[in-house]
Amino acid sequence: MAAVVDSRDLRTPVVVALQTLTVAACYYASGQLGLLRELVVEGSVVTPIWPPTGVSVAFLLVFGLRCWPGIALGALFVILSLTSLTPSALGVLVGNTAAPVVGYLLLRRAGFRTDLARLRDGLALVFLGAFTAMLISSTTGAGILLVTGKLDWASFWAVWLAWWVGDAMGVLIVTPVLLLLSRVRPPLRLSRWKEATGLALIICCVVPLAAHSPVSLLFLIYPLLIWAALRFQLAGSMLCALFASIMATVAATDRSGPFEQLTRVEVMIKLQAFNGAMALTALILSAVITEQINTRRSVERACQELVEVLEHLTAGESTDGRASVEDGGLGRRQDG
């Protein structure tokens, strides 16, 4: 028994260390992906979508609060890849670590479920995990730039807004996809695979065309998003929204398509308005549809159980009636 206990004691630190390194590696990799596309707002470089916030919230929801050191370590690696470790960089590190942790705590207090099968879960992720919690990172980051003299008051709110929206978009777009992947278990059921393949092909053709067309055709994506949500719920809608957001971000940073003739601030506003509307539509619509489907299935199960009970009672009454008739006939024969 002592050997077993010692083995477990040794295994736990190893598991924790591996988990921390995994979270840090995923944070760093997603950060490097986010840095591939940047926008300049009031002289400051910001990312339209910051995937590490979504990665952090997803890991916290799946593994719990014990993975926060991995988030901090990953944020440190990203900062070191951009600049040296200064007191202001440490402040940004604290803000980027605290924001997803606070988001996780708010979601847990609200009774959030990772399957996103209820409307309240979708609303909680939007307003608590994204909009509220990411105020910490944006305020900390923009505030440090202001205090250190790298930003003036005239540009503060524009940079703060771009920072906040970028972090919030990471939660709204990346977190649902990762939560969905964490629930995938083999074997996969390929129901409606023909429709899924056809929808994927249409999305791959229409979305790049709409994102890069000089005519503003971004509205063409919404029917595809609704189709994906109606037929495939969260999996379909969020993957469609993720792909559309990536294509729109590429077009915006390249200043092509509907973003070609706009100023830098207008590009940021139009892109973030589109990404936000896509994410909100996909998340809330899929949650409403899933909730309705689950309610209908519950009603169907209750009706089926009621039918089985009625059949059982009817069979019992029929048996009792036949027994009474047989007893009466036997009594008459004995009297005769």
Side-chain angles (χ1 to χ4, degrees):
M1 180 61 70
V4 174
V5 173
D6 293 341
S7 177
R8 291 178 179 177
D9 291 340
L10 291 174
R11 191 186 306 123
T12 300
V14 173
V15 171
V16 172
L18 290 176
Q19 188 180 77
T20 300
L21 292 176
T22 300
V23 174
C26 292
Y27 189 106
Y28 177 79
S30 62
Q32 295 304 311
L33 289 176
L35 292 172
L36 293 177
R37 295 291 169 173
E38 299 174 341
L39 290 175
V40 178
V41 178
E42 299 294 338
S44 299
V45 179
V46 297
T47 54
I49 301 175
W50 187 237
T53 57
V55 172
S56 301
V57 174
F59 270 113
L60 287 166
L61 289 171
V62 174
F63 297 110
L65 199 58
R66 65 179 181 272
C67 68
W68 76 263
I71 297 173
L73 186 61
L76 176 62
F77 290 158
V78 172
I79 291 174
L80 290 177
S81 69
L82 298 174
T83 183
S84 59
L85 193 60
T86 60
S88 60
L90 288 176
V92 174
L93 171 63
V94 172
N96 289 349
T97 304
V101 170
V102 171
Y104 162 73
L105 295 176
L106 291 174
L107 290 173
R108 190 178 67 173
R109 187 174 182 82
F112 180 82
R113 289 187 350 198
T114 57
D115 58 0
L116 288 167
R118 303 175 300 175
L119 177 59
R120 59 177 294 184
D121 298 326
L123 294 176
L125 185 62
V126 171
F127 292 102
L128 297 179
F131 290 169
T132 301
M134 295 306 121
L135 292 172
I136 298 175
S137 56
S138 61
T139 303
T140 302
I144 289 175
L145 292 177
L146 181 65
V147 171
T148 55
K150 298 178 181 179
L151 191 67
D152 54 20
W153 272 110
S155 305
F156 172 80
W157 290 111
V159 174
W160 177 88
L161 180 62
W163 197 315
W164 175 62
V165 174
D167 286 357
M169 287 303 103
V171 176
L172 292 181
I173 295 175
V174 177
T175 298
V177 175
L178 295 180
L179 292 179
L180 177 68
L181 293 177
S182 69
R183 300 178 64 85
V184 173
R185 298 291 184 273
L188 299 178
R189 292 181 297 177
L190 300 179
S191 59
R192 299 199 303 270
W193 64 271
K194 293 182 179 179
E195 181 182 2
T197 303
L199 177 59
L201 291 175
I202 294 173
I203 290 174
C204 290
C205 294
V206 173
V207 171
L209 174 64
H212 291 84
S213 174
V215 182
S216 185
L217 299 176
L218 293 176
F219 61 89
L220 293 178
I221 299 174
Y222 284 94
L224 300 177
L225 182 68
I226 296 172
W227 179 7
L230 287 173
R231 299 297 291 167
F232 304 99
Q233 288 79 58
L234 185 66
S237 64
M238 290 313 305
L239 290 176
C240 178
L242 176 63
F243 181 66
S245 297
I246 292 173
M247 290 294 100
T249 301
V250 171
T253 52
D254 290 342
R255 306 295 291 274
S256 64
F259 304 94
E260 184 175 1
Q261 303 297 329
L262 303 179
T263 64
R264 291 177 177 179
V265 175
E266 290 173 343
V267 168
M268 190 270 294
I269 293 175
K270 185 171 185 176
L271 174 63
Q272 300 298 35
F274 172 74
N275 285 339
M278 286 286 295
L280 288 173
T281 302
L283 189 59
I284 295 178
L285 181 59
S286 61
V288 170
I289 294 172
T290 302
E291 192 174 44
Q292 291 181 346
I293 291 175
N294 291 337
T295 301
R296 185 187 65 188
R297 289 174 179 172
S298 299
V299 172
E300 290 176 351
R301 284 195 298 267
C303 292
Q304 182 63 31
E305 292 175 358
L306 181 59
V307 169
E308 292 176 357
V309 171
L310 292 175
E311 290 177 351
H312 179 72
L313 293 176
T314 303
E317 291 176 356
S318 300
T319 303
D320 294 341
R322 288 195 300 271
S324 299
V325 172
E326 291 175 357
D327 292 342
L330 179 60
R332 285 194 296 273
R333 287 196 297 272
Q334 290 176 350
D335 293 341

